[in-house]
Amino acid sequence: MRAEPRGGAIKRLLLLGGGHAHVRVLADLAARPLTGWQVHLVSPHRRQVYSGMLPGWVAGHYPIEACAIRLDALAAAAGATFHETAGVALDLARGAVLGADGTTLPFDALSIDTGPMPALQALPGAATHALPVRPIEQFIAAWPALVDRLLGQCRRFDLVIVGAGAAGVELAFAVRHRAALEGWSHLFVSVLGADALPLAGMPEATRRHAARLLAQRGIAWRGGVRATGLDAGQVRIDAGPPVPFDACLVSTGAAAPAWPAASGLATDAGGFVRVDRTLRSVSHPQVFAAGDVAALADARPKSGVFAVRAGPVLSHNLRAFCEGRALQPWTPQRQALYLVATGDRHALATWGRWSWSGRWVWRWKDRIDRRFMRRFGTPA
Ligand SMILES: Cc1cc2nc3c(=O)[nH]c(=O)nc-3n(C[C@H](O)[C@H](O)[C@H](O)COP(=O)(O)OP(=O)(O)OC[C@H]3O[C@@H](n4cnc5c(N)ncnc54)[C@H](O)[C@@H]3O)c2cc1C
């Protein structure tokens, strides 16, 4: 596979989004600059909060600075120009990204790692009456007001979490742990999930273990319940009366942003950017994508694990593309290690059908997470 960048003098490689794969690309560029190319990074925020540590921030284990990669500093080290805006449209004919601030950002090569949008289509009212866990910066900004409401209420305060994947479950444990630390004895946490057990996709033993731990921690698990919409103060469900809440968090999976499909990029049925094994768009050879926004040739779950693993491949192939060399195909691993923190410096781990749990698992996760952050300049 050979790649031909467009003609001209100095060319522009635009990195759209500061996701897991792009931080690796930037770190590699800092170690070995790309000659003949200007690199630009576009991100709505100067930092990238690492989702794997977000529940640890909620639980009170980490200050937010320990969970954030400074994208502006990483870009500077890589010799890249940082643009603090979100891409809202792509003009593939002209080779430009339109920023939310009205700027037009031209490119000769584009790489997209903008992560997922919250999947709220099937949950009318969620955007108005609940707090989606993504975008993460919005969640972080809204969290103190939620805590203020909790502290301002003397009677029982019901926090309902809709979605029982790793994110929803970790957040439930994290909030429960924080409540124990802070003495929020009037806080009641419930998790609603469509399956009988939480953590769909993980081994049965892990899922049962998670359900037991939820019960032990005093978190109400309501499995086999599909949320159908939200009104002020209540979640409508498919089986039974609405579930009342004082606050509701929504973590129901990943959706695609609208702009890739609108631009004419080939996407899958969900609107995720279709890429080949080299992470290159199947329709536009000057465009690459990785992380949750990409629909991989070898389909894998949308997860941080695969976004991280894509980093070295993307880094290699962007460099190869810019230098006119052959691209390298990638077959993502079939199985991935998942580590689910349960709030009190205890965690569950799964690898394929294997699973473990304990405080040592949390220390293992903590070490992996901190090492990941240190690699990108975050003191941890
Ligand atoms: C609470 C929580 C816990 C999780 N725990 C785990 C876990 O333990 N293990 C696991 O594998 N997965 C976990 N996940 C899932 C994981 O977060 C995602 O799969 C992962 O973040 C995807 O990485 P990414 O690089 O695709 O995007 P992201 O990490 O979302 O990064 C995308 C970046 O692009 C920026 N961006 C967004 N839109 C634009 C735009 N239009 N223009 C420019 N920039 C943009 C964003 O601000 C962000 O900085 C968790 C998710 C959450 C919410």
Side-chain angles (χ1 to χ4, degrees), residues 16-20 42-45 48 51 54-55 85-87 113-116 133-134 167 170-171 259 291-292 302-305 307 338-339:
L16 185 58
H20 292 66
V42 182
S43 163
H45 305 286
Q48 160 76 356
S51 53
L54 183 74
T85 187
D113 181 12
T114 51
V133 173
R134 282 182 178 275
E170 274 198 319
L171 282 170
W259 47 264
D292 282 4
K302 302 273 180 219
S303 84
V305 175
Y338 288 101
L339 294 156

PDB file of all heavy atoms in Angstrom, residues 16-20 42-45 48 51 54-55 85-87 113-116 133-134 167 170-171 259 291-292 302-305 307 338-339, ligand 1:
ATOM      1  N   LEU A  16      -7.361  16.091  14.442  1.00  0.00           N
ATOM      2  CA  LEU A  16      -8.635  16.595  14.961  1.00  0.00           C
ATOM      3  C   LEU A  16      -9.024  15.777  16.194  1.00  0.00           C
ATOM      4  O   LEU A  16      -9.330  14.592  16.089  1.00  0.00           O
ATOM      5  CB  LEU A  16      -9.709  16.483  13.858  1.00  0.00           C
ATOM      6  CG  LEU A  16     -11.082  17.075  14.157  1.00  0.00           C
ATOM      7  CD1 LEU A  16     -10.995  18.565  14.491  1.00  0.00           C
ATOM      8  CD2 LEU A  16     -12.021  16.882  12.963  1.00  0.00           C
ATOM      9  N   GLY A  17      -8.982  16.435  17.366  1.00  0.00           N
ATOM     10  CA  GLY A  17      -9.293  15.746  18.615  1.00  0.00           C
ATOM     11  C   GLY A  17      -8.040  15.272  19.322  1.00  0.00           C
ATOM     12  O   GLY A  17      -7.073  14.843  18.680  1.00  0.00           O
ATOM     13  N   GLY A  18      -8.051  15.358  20.630  1.00  0.00           N
ATOM     14  CA  GLY A  18      -6.872  14.968  21.419  1.00  0.00           C
ATOM     15  C   GLY A  18      -7.093  13.653  22.144  1.00  0.00           C
ATOM     16  O   GLY A  18      -6.727  13.500  23.306  1.00  0.00           O
ATOM     17  N   GLY A  19      -7.699  12.693  21.436  1.00  0.00           N
ATOM     18  CA  GLY A  19      -8.018  11.408  22.062  1.00  0.00           C
ATOM     19  C   GLY A  19      -6.798  10.533  22.305  1.00  0.00           C
ATOM     20  O   GLY A  19      -5.658  10.935  22.075  1.00  0.00           O
ATOM     21  N   HIS A  20      -7.081   9.317  22.771  1.00  0.00           N
ATOM     22  CA  HIS A  20      -6.035   8.387  23.198  1.00  0.00           C
ATOM     23  C   HIS A  20      -4.971   8.126  22.135  1.00  0.00           C
ATOM     24  O   HIS A  20      -3.790   7.994  22.441  1.00  0.00           O
ATOM     25  CB  HIS A  20      -6.658   7.044  23.574  1.00  0.00           C
ATOM     26  CG  HIS A  20      -7.500   7.083  24.810  1.00  0.00           C
ATOM     27  ND1 HIS A  20      -8.677   7.791  24.886  1.00  0.00           N
ATOM     28  CD2 HIS A  20      -7.339   6.500  26.014  1.00  0.00           C
ATOM     29  CE1 HIS A  20      -9.202   7.630  26.080  1.00  0.00           C
ATOM     30  NE2 HIS A  20      -8.410   6.849  26.789  1.00  0.00           N
ATOM     31  N   VAL A  42      -6.318  20.224  16.863  1.00  0.00           N
ATOM     32  CA  VAL A  42      -7.573  20.952  17.099  1.00  0.00           C
ATOM     33  C   VAL A  42      -8.324  20.246  18.214  1.00  0.00           C
ATOM     34  O   VAL A  42      -8.616  19.053  18.115  1.00  0.00           O
ATOM     35  CB  VAL A  42      -8.445  20.948  15.817  1.00  0.00           C
ATOM     36  CG1 VAL A  42      -9.729  21.734  16.049  1.00  0.00           C
ATOM     37  CG2 VAL A  42      -7.670  21.516  14.647  1.00  0.00           C
ATOM     38  N   SER A  43      -8.603  20.980  19.273  1.00  0.00           N
ATOM     39  CA  SER A  43      -9.325  20.380  20.398  1.00  0.00           C
ATOM     40  C   SER A  43     -10.111  21.485  21.114  1.00  0.00           C
ATOM     41  O   SER A  43      -9.605  22.580  21.289  1.00  0.00           O
ATOM     42  CB  SER A  43      -8.334  19.740  21.376  1.00  0.00           C
ATOM     43  OG  SER A  43      -8.962  19.508  22.615  1.00  0.00           O
ATOM     44  N   PRO A  44     -11.327  21.173  21.548  1.00  0.00           N
ATOM     45  CA  PRO A  44     -12.109  22.208  22.244  1.00  0.00           C
ATOM     46  C   PRO A  44     -11.553  22.532  23.629  1.00  0.00           C
ATOM     47  O   PRO A  44     -11.937  23.530  24.223  1.00  0.00           O
ATOM     48  CB  PRO A  44     -13.507  21.594  22.346  1.00  0.00           C
ATOM     49  CG  PRO A  44     -13.307  20.132  22.182  1.00  0.00           C
ATOM     50  CD  PRO A  44     -12.085  19.939  21.335  1.00  0.00           C
ATOM     51  N   HIS A  45     -10.672  21.684  24.126  1.00  0.00           N
ATOM     52  CA  HIS A  45     -10.124  21.911  25.473  1.00  0.00           C
ATOM     53  C   HIS A  45      -8.611  21.757  25.432  1.00  0.00           C
ATOM     54  O   HIS A  45      -8.085  20.968  24.663  1.00  0.00           O
ATOM     55  CB  HIS A  45     -10.717  20.917  26.474  1.00  0.00           C
ATOM     56  CG  HIS A  45     -12.208  20.949  26.481  1.00  0.00           C
ATOM     57  ND1 HIS A  45     -12.924  21.978  27.056  1.00  0.00           N
ATOM     58  CD2 HIS A  45     -13.119  20.115  25.940  1.00  0.00           C
ATOM     59  CE1 HIS A  45     -14.216  21.758  26.872  1.00  0.00           C
ATOM     60  NE2 HIS A  45     -14.373  20.638  26.204  1.00  0.00           N
ATOM     61  N   GLN A  48      -6.880  16.892  28.033  1.00  0.00           N
ATOM     62  CA  GLN A  48      -7.630  15.674  27.715  1.00  0.00           C
ATOM     63  C   GLN A  48      -7.780  14.902  29.015  1.00  0.00           C
ATOM     64  O   GLN A  48      -6.793  14.381  29.554  1.00  0.00           O
ATOM     65  CB  GLN A  48      -6.861  14.865  26.658  1.00  0.00           C
ATOM     66  CG  GLN A  48      -7.217  13.408  26.563  1.00  0.00           C
ATOM     67  CD  GLN A  48      -8.556  13.173  25.852  1.00  0.00           C
ATOM     68  OE1 GLN A  48      -9.266  14.101  25.486  1.00  0.00           O
ATOM     69  NE2 GLN A  48      -8.919  11.926  25.700  1.00  0.00           N
ATOM     70  N   SER A  51     -10.528   9.181  30.636  1.00  0.00           N
ATOM     71  CA  SER A  51     -11.793   8.631  31.144  1.00  0.00           C
ATOM     72  C   SER A  51     -11.565   7.512  32.161  1.00  0.00           C
ATOM     73  O   SER A  51     -12.341   7.361  33.103  1.00  0.00           O
ATOM     74  CB  SER A  51     -12.634   8.116  29.984  1.00  0.00           C
ATOM     75  OG  SER A  51     -11.869   7.224  29.201  1.00  0.00           O
ATOM     76  N   LEU A  54     -11.483   9.053  35.475  1.00  0.00           N
ATOM     77  CA  LEU A  54     -12.571   9.962  35.877  1.00  0.00           C
ATOM     78  C   LEU A  54     -13.347   9.436  37.100  1.00  0.00           C
ATOM     79  O   LEU A  54     -13.586  10.193  38.052  1.00  0.00           O
ATOM     80  CB  LEU A  54     -13.516  10.207  34.694  1.00  0.00           C
ATOM     81  CG  LEU A  54     -14.646  11.179  34.974  1.00  0.00           C
ATOM     82  CD1 LEU A  54     -14.134  12.626  35.021  1.00  0.00           C
ATOM     83  CD2 LEU A  54     -15.745  11.061  33.918  1.00  0.00           C
ATOM     84  N   PRO A  55     -13.710   8.138  37.123  1.00  0.00           N
ATOM     85  CA  PRO A  55     -14.392   7.644  38.320  1.00  0.00           C
ATOM     86  C   PRO A  55     -13.530   7.813  39.581  1.00  0.00           C
ATOM     87  O   PRO A  55     -14.054   8.066  40.668  1.00  0.00           O
ATOM     88  CB  PRO A  55     -14.660   6.174  38.006  1.00  0.00           C
ATOM     89  CG  PRO A  55     -14.698   6.120  36.504  1.00  0.00           C
ATOM     90  CD  PRO A  55     -13.667   7.107  36.059  1.00  0.00           C
ATOM     91  N   THR A  85     -10.506  24.811  19.611  1.00  0.00           N
ATOM     92  CA  THR A  85     -11.873  24.845  19.083  1.00  0.00           C
ATOM     93  C   THR A  85     -12.271  23.415  18.717  1.00  0.00           C
ATOM     94  O   THR A  85     -11.421  22.526  18.659  1.00  0.00           O
ATOM     95  CB  THR A  85     -11.967  25.771  17.842  1.00  0.00           C
ATOM     96  OG1 THR A  85     -13.343  25.908  17.462  1.00  0.00           O
ATOM     97  CG2 THR A  85     -11.168  25.244  16.657  1.00  0.00           C
ATOM     98  N   ALA A  86     -13.570  23.225  18.469  1.00  0.00           N
ATOM     99  CA  ALA A  86     -14.033  21.901  18.012  1.00  0.00           C
ATOM    100  C   ALA A  86     -14.233  21.958  16.508  1.00  0.00           C
ATOM    101  O   ALA A  86     -14.682  22.983  15.983  1.00  0.00           O
ATOM    102  CB  ALA A  86     -15.346  21.553  18.692  1.00  0.00           C
ATOM    103  N   GLY A  87     -13.946  20.873  15.833  1.00  0.00           N
ATOM    104  CA  GLY A  87     -14.282  20.779  14.419  1.00  0.00           C
ATOM    105  C   GLY A  87     -15.781  20.532  14.316  1.00  0.00           C
ATOM    106  O   GLY A  87     -16.316  19.671  15.008  1.00  0.00           O
ATOM    107  N   ASP A 113      -9.590  11.775  15.779  1.00  0.00           N
ATOM    108  CA  ASP A 113      -9.669  10.991  17.029  1.00  0.00           C
ATOM    109  C   ASP A 113     -10.467  11.819  18.034  1.00  0.00           C
ATOM    110  O   ASP A 113      -9.936  12.328  19.008  1.00  0.00           O
ATOM    111  CB  ASP A 113      -8.254  10.682  17.542  1.00  0.00           C
ATOM    112  CG  ASP A 113      -8.273   9.837  18.824  1.00  0.00           C
ATOM    113  OD1 ASP A 113      -9.343   9.305  19.173  1.00  0.00           O
ATOM    114  OD2 ASP A 113      -7.220   9.727  19.468  1.00  0.00           O
ATOM    115  N   THR A 114     -11.755  11.974  17.710  1.00  0.00           N
ATOM    116  CA  THR A 114     -12.598  12.880  18.498  1.00  0.00           C
ATOM    117  C   THR A 114     -13.503  12.145  19.485  1.00  0.00           C
ATOM    118  O   THR A 114     -14.311  12.794  20.150  1.00  0.00           O
ATOM    119  CB  THR A 114     -13.477  13.736  17.556  1.00  0.00           C
ATOM    120  OG1 THR A 114     -14.134  12.859  16.644  1.00  0.00           O
ATOM    121  CG2 THR A 114     -12.637  14.746  16.792  1.00  0.00           C
ATOM    122  N   GLY A 115     -13.365  10.826  19.554  1.00  0.00           N
ATOM    123  CA  GLY A 115     -14.155  10.091  20.552  1.00  0.00           C
ATOM    124  C   GLY A 115     -15.622  10.027  20.173  1.00  0.00           C
ATOM    125  O   GLY A 115     -16.020  10.437  19.091  1.00  0.00           O
ATOM    126  N   PRO A 116     -16.430   9.484  21.074  1.00  0.00           N
ATOM    127  CA  PRO A 116     -17.851   9.308  20.796  1.00  0.00           C
ATOM    128  C   PRO A 116     -18.682  10.473  21.337  1.00  0.00           C
ATOM    129  O   PRO A 116     -18.222  11.257  22.162  1.00  0.00           O
ATOM    130  CB  PRO A 116     -18.185   8.042  21.579  1.00  0.00           C
ATOM    131  CG  PRO A 116     -17.299   8.164  22.798  1.00  0.00           C
ATOM    132  CD  PRO A 116     -16.049   8.883  22.363  1.00  0.00           C
ATOM    133  N   VAL A 133     -22.674  11.548  30.843  1.00  0.00           N
ATOM    134  CA  VAL A 133     -21.284  11.429  31.308  1.00  0.00           C
ATOM    135  C   VAL A 133     -20.318  12.014  30.272  1.00  0.00           C
ATOM    136  O   VAL A 133     -19.217  12.430  30.591  1.00  0.00           O
ATOM    137  CB  VAL A 133     -20.979   9.947  31.595  1.00  0.00           C
ATOM    138  CG1 VAL A 133     -19.522   9.727  31.901  1.00  0.00           C
ATOM    139  CG2 VAL A 133     -21.848   9.464  32.743  1.00  0.00           C
ATOM    140  N   ARG A 134     -20.735  12.065  29.024  1.00  0.00           N
ATOM    141  CA  ARG A 134     -19.971  12.729  27.965  1.00  0.00           C
ATOM    142  C   ARG A 134     -20.761  13.898  27.412  1.00  0.00           C
ATOM    143  O   ARG A 134     -21.994  13.799  27.379  1.00  0.00           O
ATOM    144  CB  ARG A 134     -19.679  11.743  26.829  1.00  0.00           C
ATOM    145  CG  ARG A 134     -18.560  10.818  27.156  1.00  0.00           C
ATOM    146  CD  ARG A 134     -18.300   9.908  25.978  1.00  0.00           C
ATOM    147  NE  ARG A 134     -17.188   9.026  26.244  1.00  0.00           N
ATOM    148  CZ  ARG A 134     -15.912   9.353  26.037  1.00  0.00           C
ATOM    149  NH1 ARG A 134     -15.597  10.549  25.606  1.00  0.00           N
ATOM    150  NH2 ARG A 134     -14.960   8.491  26.302  1.00  0.00           N
ATOM    151  N   ALA A 167     -18.574   2.288  32.379  1.00  0.00           N
ATOM    152  CA  ALA A 167     -18.597   3.686  32.838  1.00  0.00           C
ATOM    153  C   ALA A 167     -19.681   3.904  33.893  1.00  0.00           C
ATOM    154  O   ALA A 167     -19.412   4.475  34.963  1.00  0.00           O
ATOM    155  CB  ALA A 167     -18.795   4.623  31.655  1.00  0.00           C
ATOM    156  N   GLU A 170     -18.790   1.913  37.157  1.00  0.00           N
ATOM    157  CA  GLU A 170     -17.657   2.517  37.889  1.00  0.00           C
ATOM    158  C   GLU A 170     -18.100   3.812  38.567  1.00  0.00           C
ATOM    159  O   GLU A 170     -17.695   4.101  39.689  1.00  0.00           O
ATOM    160  CB  GLU A 170     -16.513   2.832  36.917  1.00  0.00           C
ATOM    161  CG  GLU A 170     -15.588   1.663  36.666  1.00  0.00           C
ATOM    162  CD  GLU A 170     -14.257   2.108  36.082  1.00  0.00           C
ATOM    163  OE1 GLU A 170     -14.256   2.993  35.215  1.00  0.00           O
ATOM    164  OE2 GLU A 170     -13.223   1.573  36.502  1.00  0.00           O
ATOM    165  N   LEU A 171     -18.932   4.591  37.859  1.00  0.00           N
ATOM    166  CA  LEU A 171     -19.375   5.857  38.462  1.00  0.00           C
ATOM    167  C   LEU A 171     -20.265   5.607  39.670  1.00  0.00           C
ATOM    168  O   LEU A 171     -20.177   6.321  40.670  1.00  0.00           O
ATOM    169  CB  LEU A 171     -20.089   6.721  37.419  1.00  0.00           C
ATOM    170  CG  LEU A 171     -19.138   7.436  36.464  1.00  0.00           C
ATOM    171  CD1 LEU A 171     -19.897   8.087  35.316  1.00  0.00           C
ATOM    172  CD2 LEU A 171     -18.303   8.497  37.206  1.00  0.00           C
ATOM    173  N   TRP A 259     -21.065  15.117  11.801  1.00  0.00           N
ATOM    174  CA  TRP A 259     -20.310  15.754  10.712  1.00  0.00           C
ATOM    175  C   TRP A 259     -19.506  14.797   9.816  1.00  0.00           C
ATOM    176  O   TRP A 259     -19.355  15.095   8.634  1.00  0.00           O
ATOM    177  CB  TRP A 259     -19.421  16.895  11.236  1.00  0.00           C
ATOM    178  CG  TRP A 259     -18.615  16.569  12.451  1.00  0.00           C
ATOM    179  CD1 TRP A 259     -18.933  16.840  13.752  1.00  0.00           C
ATOM    180  CD2 TRP A 259     -17.339  15.904  12.494  1.00  0.00           C
ATOM    181  NE1 TRP A 259     -17.957  16.386  14.600  1.00  0.00           N
ATOM    182  CE2 TRP A 259     -16.967  15.803  13.848  1.00  0.00           C
ATOM    183  CE3 TRP A 259     -16.489  15.370  11.520  1.00  0.00           C
ATOM    184  CZ2 TRP A 259     -15.772  15.198  14.265  1.00  0.00           C
ATOM    185  CZ3 TRP A 259     -15.301  14.767  11.923  1.00  0.00           C
ATOM    186  CH2 TRP A 259     -14.965  14.691  13.282  1.00  0.00           C
ATOM    187  N   GLY A 291      -9.723   5.347  17.412  1.00  0.00           N
ATOM    188  CA  GLY A 291     -10.517   5.516  18.636  1.00  0.00           C
ATOM    189  C   GLY A 291     -11.986   5.240  18.363  1.00  0.00           C
ATOM    190  O   GLY A 291     -12.353   4.654  17.346  1.00  0.00           O
ATOM    191  N   ASP A 292     -12.822   5.691  19.275  1.00  0.00           N
ATOM    192  CA  ASP A 292     -14.250   5.357  19.205  1.00  0.00           C
ATOM    193  C   ASP A 292     -14.946   5.910  17.968  1.00  0.00           C
ATOM    194  O   ASP A 292     -15.987   5.395  17.552  1.00  0.00           O
ATOM    195  CB  ASP A 292     -14.973   5.883  20.458  1.00  0.00           C
ATOM    196  CG  ASP A 292     -14.736   4.997  21.670  1.00  0.00           C
ATOM    197  OD1 ASP A 292     -13.961   4.029  21.571  1.00  0.00           O
ATOM    198  OD2 ASP A 292     -15.336   5.282  22.738  1.00  0.00           O
ATOM    199  N   LYS A 302     -16.198  -0.414  21.337  1.00  0.00           N
ATOM    200  CA  LYS A 302     -15.752   0.970  21.521  1.00  0.00           C
ATOM    201  C   LYS A 302     -15.205   1.049  22.938  1.00  0.00           C
ATOM    202  O   LYS A 302     -15.967   0.964  23.912  1.00  0.00           O
ATOM    203  CB  LYS A 302     -16.938   1.939  21.395  1.00  0.00           C
ATOM    204  CG  LYS A 302     -17.671   1.846  20.063  1.00  0.00           C
ATOM    205  CD  LYS A 302     -17.038   2.724  19.016  1.00  0.00           C
ATOM    206  CE  LYS A 302     -17.754   2.647  17.688  1.00  0.00           C
ATOM    207  NZ  LYS A 302     -16.822   2.666  16.541  1.00  0.00           N
ATOM    208  N   SER A 303     -13.902   1.174  23.047  1.00  0.00           N
ATOM    209  CA  SER A 303     -13.338   1.234  24.393  1.00  0.00           C
ATOM    210  C   SER A 303     -11.972   1.893  24.350  1.00  0.00           C
ATOM    211  O   SER A 303     -11.290   1.883  23.317  1.00  0.00           O
ATOM    212  CB  SER A 303     -13.231  -0.165  25.013  1.00  0.00           C
ATOM    213  OG  SER A 303     -12.040  -0.774  24.592  1.00  0.00           O
ATOM    214  N   GLY A 304     -11.590   2.440  25.494  1.00  0.00           N
ATOM    215  CA  GLY A 304     -10.314   3.117  25.610  1.00  0.00           C
ATOM    216  C   GLY A 304      -9.155   2.187  25.287  1.00  0.00           C
ATOM    217  O   GLY A 304      -8.146   2.608  24.721  1.00  0.00           O
ATOM    218  N   VAL A 305      -9.308   0.918  25.615  1.00  0.00           N
ATOM    219  CA  VAL A 305      -8.234  -0.053  25.375  1.00  0.00           C
ATOM    220  C   VAL A 305      -7.840  -0.033  23.892  1.00  0.00           C
ATOM    221  O   VAL A 305      -6.667   0.065  23.537  1.00  0.00           O
ATOM    222  CB  VAL A 305      -8.694  -1.470  25.771  1.00  0.00           C
ATOM    223  CG1 VAL A 305      -7.643  -2.502  25.413  1.00  0.00           C
ATOM    224  CG2 VAL A 305      -9.023  -1.535  27.245  1.00  0.00           C
ATOM    225  N   ALA A 307      -8.602   2.255  21.656  1.00  0.00           N
ATOM    226  CA  ALA A 307      -8.156   3.600  21.247  1.00  0.00           C
ATOM    227  C   ALA A 307      -6.672   3.769  21.573  1.00  0.00           C
ATOM    228  O   ALA A 307      -5.902   4.299  20.775  1.00  0.00           O
ATOM    229  CB  ALA A 307      -8.998   4.659  21.952  1.00  0.00           C
ATOM    230  N   TYR A 338      -9.778  -5.553  30.848  1.00  0.00           N
ATOM    231  CA  TYR A 338     -10.660  -4.506  31.363  1.00  0.00           C
ATOM    232  C   TYR A 338     -10.521  -4.468  32.872  1.00  0.00           C
ATOM    233  O   TYR A 338     -10.554  -5.509  33.537  1.00  0.00           O
ATOM    234  CB  TYR A 338     -12.114  -4.766  30.975  1.00  0.00           C
ATOM    235  CG  TYR A 338     -12.355  -4.531  29.501  1.00  0.00           C
ATOM    236  CD1 TYR A 338     -12.434  -5.600  28.618  1.00  0.00           C
ATOM    237  CD2 TYR A 338     -12.470  -3.237  29.000  1.00  0.00           C
ATOM    238  CE1 TYR A 338     -12.622  -5.389  27.255  1.00  0.00           C
ATOM    239  CE2 TYR A 338     -12.663  -3.011  27.642  1.00  0.00           C
ATOM    240  CZ  TYR A 338     -12.739  -4.089  26.778  1.00  0.00           C
ATOM    241  OH  TYR A 338     -12.904  -3.877  25.442  1.00  0.00           O
ATOM    242  N   LEU A 339     -10.370  -3.268  33.387  1.00  0.00           N
ATOM    243  CA  LEU A 339     -10.232  -3.081  34.833  1.00  0.00           C
ATOM    244  C   LEU A 339     -11.347  -2.141  35.286  1.00  0.00           C
ATOM    245  O   LEU A 339     -11.452  -1.016  34.779  1.00  0.00           O
ATOM    246  CB  LEU A 339      -8.856  -2.474  35.138  1.00  0.00           C
ATOM    247  CG  LEU A 339      -7.679  -3.405  34.818  1.00  0.00           C
ATOM    248  CD1 LEU A 339      -6.405  -2.617  34.567  1.00  0.00           C
ATOM    249  CD2 LEU A 339      -7.465  -4.384  35.956  1.00  0.00           C
TER     250      LEU A 339
HETATM  251  C1  LIG B   1     -16.439   7.186  33.084  1.00  0.00           C
HETATM  252  C2  LIG B   1     -15.854   6.359  31.980  1.00  0.00           C
HETATM  253  C3  LIG B   1     -15.047   5.280  32.284  1.00  0.00           C
HETATM  254  C4  LIG B   1     -14.500   4.503  31.274  1.00  0.00           C
HETATM  255  N1  LIG B   1     -13.704   3.458  31.615  1.00  0.00           N
HETATM  256  C5  LIG B   1     -13.147   2.719  30.631  1.00  0.00           C
HETATM  257  C6  LIG B   1     -12.274   1.655  30.975  1.00  0.00           C
HETATM  258  O1  LIG B   1     -12.017   1.394  32.152  1.00  0.00           O
HETATM  259  N2  LIG B   1     -11.731   0.921  29.961  1.00  0.00           N
HETATM  260  C7  LIG B   1     -11.985   1.215  28.641  1.00  0.00           C
HETATM  261  O2  LIG B   1     -11.452   0.540  27.760  1.00  0.00           O
HETATM  262  N3  LIG B   1     -12.824   2.205  28.297  1.00  0.00           N
HETATM  263  C8  LIG B   1     -13.402   2.973  29.249  1.00  0.00           C
HETATM  264  N4  LIG B   1     -14.243   3.994  28.906  1.00  0.00           N
HETATM  265  C9  LIG B   1     -14.492   4.238  27.476  1.00  0.00           C
HETATM  266  C10 LIG B   1     -13.418   5.150  26.944  1.00  0.00           C
HETATM  267  O3  LIG B   1     -13.523   6.376  27.613  1.00  0.00           O
HETATM  268  C11 LIG B   1     -13.550   5.460  25.482  1.00  0.00           C
HETATM  269  O4  LIG B   1     -13.665   4.270  24.766  1.00  0.00           O
HETATM  270  C12 LIG B   1     -12.328   6.248  25.031  1.00  0.00           C
HETATM  271  O5  LIG B   1     -12.310   7.499  25.662  1.00  0.00           O
HETATM  272  C13 LIG B   1     -12.302   6.484  23.547  1.00  0.00           C
HETATM  273  O6  LIG B   1     -11.105   7.162  23.257  1.00  0.00           O
HETATM  274  P1  LIG B   1     -11.017   8.134  22.024  1.00  0.00           P
HETATM  275  O7  LIG B   1      -9.582   8.424  21.822  1.00  0.00           O
HETATM  276  O8  LIG B   1     -11.780   7.580  20.891  1.00  0.00           O
HETATM  277  O9  LIG B   1     -11.795   9.464  22.455  1.00  0.00           O
HETATM  278  P2  LIG B   1     -11.787  10.391  23.710  1.00  0.00           P
HETATM  279  O10 LIG B   1     -11.018   9.835  24.823  1.00  0.00           O
HETATM  280  O11 LIG B   1     -13.220  10.734  23.943  1.00  0.00           O
HETATM  281  O12 LIG B   1     -11.031  11.698  23.205  1.00  0.00           O
HETATM  282  C14 LIG B   1     -11.588  12.495  22.195  1.00  0.00           C
HETATM  283  C15 LIG B   1     -11.065  13.895  22.300  1.00  0.00           C
HETATM  284  O13 LIG B   1     -11.520  14.646  21.177  1.00  0.00           O
HETATM  285  C16 LIG B   1     -12.114  15.869  21.595  1.00  0.00           C
HETATM  286  N5  LIG B   1     -13.172  16.207  20.642  1.00  0.00           N
HETATM  287  C17 LIG B   1     -14.456  15.762  20.656  1.00  0.00           C
HETATM  288  N6  LIG B   1     -15.120  16.278  19.607  1.00  0.00           N
HETATM  289  C18 LIG B   1     -14.248  17.054  18.932  1.00  0.00           C
HETATM  290  C19 LIG B   1     -14.357  17.840  17.771  1.00  0.00           C
HETATM  291  N7  LIG B   1     -15.500  17.924  17.076  1.00  0.00           N
HETATM  292  N8  LIG B   1     -13.268  18.527  17.353  1.00  0.00           N
HETATM  293  C20 LIG B   1     -12.097  18.442  18.032  1.00  0.00           C
HETATM  294  N9  LIG B   1     -11.944  17.686  19.149  1.00  0.00           N
HETATM  295  C21 LIG B   1     -13.012  17.006  19.587  1.00  0.00           C
HETATM  296  C22 LIG B   1     -12.614  15.588  22.984  1.00  0.00           C
HETATM  297  O14 LIG B   1     -12.720  16.795  23.718  1.00  0.00           O
HETATM  298  C23 LIG B   1     -11.543  14.665  23.519  1.00  0.00           C
HETATM  299  O15 LIG B   1     -10.475  15.428  24.027  1.00  0.00           O
HETATM  300  C24 LIG B   1     -14.801   4.788  29.918  1.00  0.00           C
HETATM  301  C25 LIG B   1     -15.626   5.876  29.601  1.00  0.00           C
HETATM  302  C26 LIG B   1     -16.139   6.671  30.617  1.00  0.00           C
HETATM  303  C27 LIG B   1     -17.019   7.849  30.246  1.00  0.00           C
END
